[in-house]
Amino acid sequence: MFAESLCGAVALLLYVNTLGADFCYDDSRAVKTNQDLLPETPWTNIFYDDFWGTLLTHSGSHKSYRPLCTLSFRLNHAAGGLEPWGYHLVNVALHGAVTGLFTSLARLLLGGGPWSLLAGLLFASHPIHTEAVAGVVGRADEGAALFFLLSLLCYARHCRLRGRAGRRRLAAWFLGSLGCAACGMLWKELGVTVLAVSALYDVCVFHRLKLRQVVALLYERKNVRLLLNVFLLAAWGAVLLACRFYWMGNKPPNFSNSDNPAADSPSLLTRTLTFSYLPAVNFWLLLCPNRLSFDWSMDALPLIRSLADWRNAHTAAFYLGLLSLARFGLRARRPAKAKETNGKAHHQHANGRNGNSNGHSCQYTNHDHLNDSHADAHTNSGEQNGTRQHHESRTPLPTTENVVVFSLGLLAIPFLPATNLFFYVGFVIAERVLYIPSMGFCLLVAVGMRCLYVRLPRGSARTFLVSCSAAIVLLFGVKTVLRNRDWQNEEMLYKSGIYVNPAKAWGNLGNVLKSQGQMEEAEQAYRNALYYRSNMADMLYNLGLLLQESNKFSEALHYYKLAIGSRPTLASAYLNTGIILMNQGRLDESKRTFLTCADIPDENLKDPHAHKSSVTSCLYNLGKLLHEQGQQEEALAVFEEAIQKMPRQFAPQSLYNMMGEAYIRLNKLTEAGHWYRESLRAKPDHIPAHLTYGKLLAMTGQKAEAERYFLKAIRLDPAKGNCYMHYGQFLLEESRLLEAAEMAQKAARLDSGEFDVVFSAAHMLSIPPP
């Protein structure tokens, strides 16, 4: 357990500097604005919504069903609200636990010597993990990895107990493996791939079968136990995937062309060449994680459109290397005279007894767990020399070829869902997706170092190799600590991504600068983003919004129209366009804009909640415009439609208050009172509802109650002159002229720039006392 503890401690130490980090990038939507985390939201919603809080069956859902991860966020929220420290603490703790479990797996494959320690340290320090650990949303990959390893270790334990334990104990470990696989999938989808990796472990590590033997096994059907276990793993995987597909509405997700440009390409050649190249890029990130980014979408990796593109050579080299390793691991070899055991050479004795095989390719077959298997022609003869008891007490380690095949499987199988081979995904490259596949990479590096160590002469060469291994771990660790700094806040993160994805990085950086009040710098950042990608609807809208807030209304309208042209479903652009037109007196154009927005469906939209909020706001402003024009019945119809389309997170108090105002104009005081009370119920400190409800109470003769609401409005915001003005009008109607004059003076002093307030105050002051 020393290696596990040491590697886990190193993993924790390297990420200590993330504990003070803020929420970054996707954390905002997954945590800060996710309604499923709030205590007032029923916790069962977690099992019906996707990772981002959208109903899973909705056409615009991301279809990322991760209820266990969302549940962990909700527990974080219950414990500490939106304090980032607690979320990061859980992420770092998960990484330490995953590192310890991975080191245990490495010890099963490489023994308890320095090579399993090297594998664990590589995993603990690899910079590719920074997004998964430092970014809160990366917890999905960490949790999936945790259950992935628990499932695999349970299955390995089940394999080792065959022939030594009773059926119940065997079944318990097997069912534990299946249960952990299900939990892994409920944490993140790729967790289900552990079932295929477990089958590979059974075939290539435990039974140590080569390709020829696997083919013969399937053809002759001799090892019924192995075939049954593989069948059960496959069946459980099919059940989980079928349930998953049914639960998400039997429809795959839809992604925009900027998320995965190759998937949107009409050219089969372009899609094939680009998708073939992406695994090579991901492997390079594992091998040399020097250039990392928070986002690789859009044009971060230009499409490969022809066979003449030089990047095809990288693709060919990658797959040739992969096939060479696979051929090395799967080919059948004659028994070697020497065994590699943790880097030491041992020789066979004449009587057939062997040391533990830990690396070289001898066909060592333990009949204790191959009691009805298709035995290899070159099996160890120790069984015939009375060594069966020794084999039962100490299971020999797998050969180098076995470990290579398993490592390749651990590298490739969890990565398959991200290859676009079975379905298109919503990203080009996502570093956090490599969290589980990196385990296979770390094992390959460790077993490769072990092979080199054995083949090198004793002395300085071996010392140099060990020094190189330590240097790799040290360099990885330094890079990880430095990369963690980029994840401290969004400004640093987006600046670090400019060289990889300038369009996305500049656009997001503009949002950060705007929130800091640096308007000129934010405007320049938006224009930089549009320089690299001119049709980004979000950036066009954000630039228009900034110009609108700077009172540059004509320019703002121009960019809103460009945003709508780029994305005709962008409801927020219609909303702000309509508001500008309304303020400019172009009322007919404003009405048409609001009506167009109201008719946009929320089908296939990435964020239907935000869309519905904008549509509701459009209807609210349209109703308000009709109300001001005296069309009360039409206004009420629009307000009713707004209530029907209103999403859960929409704040309805202003909408309810306007409905009360419309009913007042129609002299329907009972209905007006109902909606004023609804407004106050939605937001008890909503000042306009206090004032309007106070006026209604005064009209119905409830003077004392009316005065109470006016005074409460003043207490809620003593600096708001409008409150004093309404209270003054009430006092004037009650013939309390001196008090009314005092309120008028306060209103005029506080809101001297508001014409209505000053005019009303002057009117009250002009009335002579009796």
Side-chain angles (χ1 to χ4, degrees):
M1 295 297 292
F2 170 76
E4 288 89 334
S5 301
L6 177 60
C7 293
V10 170
L12 295 175
L13 183 63
L14 290 173
Y15 286 94
V16 166
N17 63 336
T18 67
L19 297 180
D22 200 355
F23 292 117
C24 291
Y25 194 38
D26 286 338
D27 297 349
S28 177
R29 190 176 170 205
V31 178
K32 294 174 70 175
T33 62
N34 192 339
Q35 298 295 304
D36 287 343
L37 272 58
L38 301 178
E40 57 266 26
T41 303
W43 70 271
T44 52
N45 282 19
I46 291 172
F47 296 96
Y48 296 94
D49 294 343
D50 67 15
F51 189 53
W52 313 100
T54 303
L55 188 65
L56 196 64
T57 54
H58 189 277
S59 59
S61 170
H62 195 270
K63 306 297 184 185
S64 47
Y65 186 58
R66 304 162 190 175
L68 294 185
C69 186
T70 306
L71 182 60
S72 75
F73 289 154
R74 180 157 179 151
L75 293 174
N76 258 131
H77 192 281
L82 290 177
E83 176 58 46
W85 186 86
Y87 295 84
H88 287 293
L89 178 64
V90 173
N91 272 34
V92 173
L94 278 173
H95 181 56
V98 171
T99 301
L101 288 174
F102 171 69
T103 309
S104 294
L105 175 64
R107 188 157 50 85
L108 287 178
L109 299 169
L110 303 173
W115 309 114
S116 59
L117 179 63
L118 173 62
L121 290 175
L122 284 171
F123 184 83
S125 61
H126 204 298
I128 203 69
H129 299 156
T130 50
E131 182 180 6
V133 184
V136 174
V137 295
R139 186 182 302 180
D141 295 271
E142 291 183 294
L146 181 73
F147 282 104
F148 185 102
L149 287 169
L150 287 173
S151 177
L152 184 56
L153 291 171
C154 283
Y155 191 81
R157 181 65 175 168
H158 164 80
C159 291
R160 292 197 303 275
L161 289 176
R162 288 176 189 162
R164 308 178 192 179
R167 290 184 179 181
R168 289 186 179 180
R169 192 177 175 194
L170 284 174
W173 284 106
F174 186 74
L175 292 175
S177 175
L178 299 185
C180 288
C183 290
M185 191 186 76
L186 291 175
W187 206 290
K188 189 174 181 178
E189 298 80 3
L190 56 78
V192 74
T193 58
V194 69
L195 298 170
V197 175
S198 296
L200 181 68
Y201 177 89
D202 205 346
V203 172
C204 294
V205 176
F206 183 74
H207 283 93
R208 310 178 190 199
L209 302 181
K210 300 296 182 181
L211 181 61
R212 174 178 56 81
Q213 295 171 294
V214 172
V215 174
L217 178 70
L218 293 173
Y219 180 74
E220 299 177 10
R221 302 178 184 176
K222 286 187 175 181
N223 193 331
V224 178
R225 178 183 295 176
L226 175 59
L227 292 175
L228 177 62
N229 274 30
V230 172
F231 170 78
L232 290 175
L233 290 171
W236 183 238
V239 168
L240 291 177
L241 291 173
C243 292
R244 170 77 169 75
F245 195 66
Y246 170 78
W247 201 248
M248 72 181 192
N250 296 318
K251 292 181 181 179
N254 294 308
F255 302 108
S256 67
N257 61 347
S258 62
D259 292 330
N260 190 348
D264 197 56
S265 173
S267 170
L268 176 62
L269 179 64
T270 298
R271 293 198 304 272
T272 302
L273 293 177
T274 304
F275 288 151
S276 299
Y277 174 65
L278 292 181
V281 178
N282 279 275
F283 186 79
W284 179 252
L285 289 177
L286 289 172
L287 193 63
C288 182
N290 182 50
R291 194 183 186 202
L292 301 176
S293 175
F294 71 98
D295 189 281
W296 291 81
S297 61
M298 299 182 180
D299 300 318
L301 283 176
L303 301 181
I304 301 179
R305 302 182 185 277
S306 71
L307 293 171
D309 194 307
W310 61 272
R311 289 174 292 173
N312 290 319
H314 296 174
T315 305
F318 168 72
Y319 286 108
L320 282 174
L322 203 64
L323 288 172
S324 298
L325 279 175
R327 182 175 177 272
F328 167 79
L330 291 173
R331 64 181 176 176
R333 293 182 56 176
R334 296 180 181 179
K337 292 183 179 180
K339 313 285 188 300
E340 295 169 14
T341 307
N342 285 327
K344 298 180 181 180
H346 294 269
H347 299 278
Q348 285 182 317
H349 296 289
N351 62 4
R353 300 175 183 244
N354 305 39
N356 268 355
S357 172
N358 185 21
H360 208 64
S361 62
C362 80
Q363 295 293 333
Y364 189 109
T365 305
N366 187 342
H367 288 271
D368 198 28
H369 31 81
L370 267 177
N371 45 22
D372 58 347
S373 69
H374 179 80
D376 184 68
H378 304 289
T379 58
N380 190 291
S381 59
E383 292 271 341
Q384 301 172 2
N385 290 279
T387 60
R388 181 182 180 92
Q389 184 178 359
H390 169 73
H391 294 161
E392 287 183 349
S393 62
R394 187 176 179 185
T395 304
L397 295 170
T399 65
T400 295
E401 290 85 353
N402 297 141
V403 178
V404 167
V405 171
F406 179 78
S407 301
L408 286 174
L410 186 55
L411 173 67
I413 293 173
F415 184 71
L416 282 177
T419 60
N420 296 276
L421 182 63
F422 305 108
F423 47 81
Y424 292 140
V425 296
F427 54 85
V428 179
I429 291 176
E431 292 167 14
R432 58 178 177 259
V433 170
L434 294 173
Y435 190 76
I436 294 178
S438 67
M439 298 177 188
F441 172 81
C442 294
L443 285 173
L444 281 174
V445 173
V447 76
M449 289 292 188
R450 187 182 68 180
C451 286
L452 285 175
Y453 185 88
V454 169
R455 284 162 175 75
L456 288 174
R458 295 179 180 273
S460 59
R462 289 188 173 183
T463 302
F464 178 74
L465 183 67
V466 172
S467 301
C468 287
S469 301
I472 292 172
V473 172
L474 181 61
L475 288 173
F476 275 6
V478 171
K479 174 65 176 178
T480 294
V481 172
L482 294 176
R483 178 61 178 162
N484 288 342
R485 295 180 181 177
D486 294 335
W487 284 87
Q488 289 297 306
N489 56 61
E490 290 191 321
E491 182 177 358
M492 296 176 67
L493 181 64
Y494 299 145
K495 284 180 178 178
S496 71
I498 288 175
Y499 297 103
V500 175
N501 192 348
K504 191 71 170 282
W506 276 118
N508 289 353
L509 182 59
N511 295 336
V512 174
L513 294 171
K514 181 186 172 186
S515 68
Q516 296 174 350
Q518 303 180 52
M519 297 303 178
E520 292 183 4
E521 293 83 353
E523 181 178 345
Q524 187 58 51
Y526 289 141
R527 295 189 186 278
N528 289 344
L530 293 170
Y531 170 80
Y532 288 100
R533 192 177 178 90
S534 61
N535 64 340
M536 289 191 296
D538 290 331
M539 292 307 108
L540 291 165
Y541 168 77
N542 289 338
L543 179 55
L545 186 61
L546 185 146
L547 293 168
Q548 181 182 358
E549 293 174 358
S550 302
N551 297 324
K552 300 176 181 179
F553 299 114
S554 297
E555 288 183 76
L557 276 178
H558 170 70
Y559 282 102
Y560 286 146
K561 289 177 180 178
L562 289 177
I564 291 170
S566 179
R567 189 189 302 167
T569 59
L570 187 57
S572 54
Y574 289 95
L575 170 63
N576 287 355
T577 298
I579 290 173
I580 291 177
L581 292 172
M582 185 170 61
N583 292 335
Q584 290 179 342
R586 299 156 65 179
L587 302 184
D588 289 337
E589 291 180 72
S590 178
K591 286 182 183 178
R592 287 195 297 271
T593 303
F594 289 142
L595 286 170
T596 301
C597 178
D599 291 334
I600 299 174
D602 64 349
E603 298 296 315
N604 301 319
L605 296 182
K606 187 175 182 180
D607 192 350
H609 295 307
H611 171 81
K612 288 180 179 178
S613 293
S614 295
V615 168
T616 305
S617 295
C618 276
L619 290 168
Y620 167 77
N621 281 281
L622 176 59
K624 187 177 178 181
L625 180 58
L626 293 169
H627 166 73
E628 291 171 353
Q629 291 179 334
Q631 304 176 50
Q632 306 306 325
E633 295 289 353
E634 293 84 349
L636 283 171
V638 171
F639 289 145
E640 290 286 354
E641 183 182 355
I643 290 175
Q644 291 175 1
K645 294 184 176 181
M646 181 174 64
R648 284 182 306 179
Q649 75 274 18
F650 189 83
Q653 60 272 5
S654 295
L655 175 58
Y656 294 159
N657 191 56
M658 282 305 304
M659 290 192 72
E661 290 284 87
Y663 276 116
I664 282 281
R665 295 282 183 91
L666 293 172
N667 202 31
K668 296 182 178 180
L669 304 186
T670 303
E671 291 85 348
H674 166 75
W675 287 110
Y676 288 146
R677 288 190 295 273
E678 286 296 315
S679 178
L680 291 170
R681 187 177 293 112
K683 192 174 191 295
D685 60 348
H686 187 52
I687 294 175
H690 281 83
L691 299 175
T692 52
Y693 193 39
K695 289 168 63 178
L696 175 64
L697 292 170
M699 289 172 61
T700 57
Q702 303 176 61
K703 306 295 185 179
E705 190 72 6
E707 186 169 5
R708 188 172 69 84
Y709 275 92
F710 287 127
L711 291 173
K712 186 175 180 183
I714 292 174
R715 286 198 302 272
L716 287 170
D717 192 354
K720 193 173 183 65
N722 190 48
C723 298
Y724 295 97
M725 182 193 74
H726 281 86
Y727 184 40
Q729 289 174 342
F730 167 77
L731 294 171
L732 183 64
E733 292 169 2
E734 293 298 302
S735 300
R736 296 159 61 179
L737 300 184
L738 293 177
E739 294 176 81
E742 183 183 355
M743 292 300 110
Q745 289 176 338
K746 287 186 177 180
R749 185 171 62 252
L750 291 171
D751 285 345
S752 58
E754 295 290 333
F755 174 79
D756 291 340
V757 173
V758 175
F759 181 81
S760 297
H763 172 69
M764 285 186 281
L765 291 170
S766 67
I767 299 175

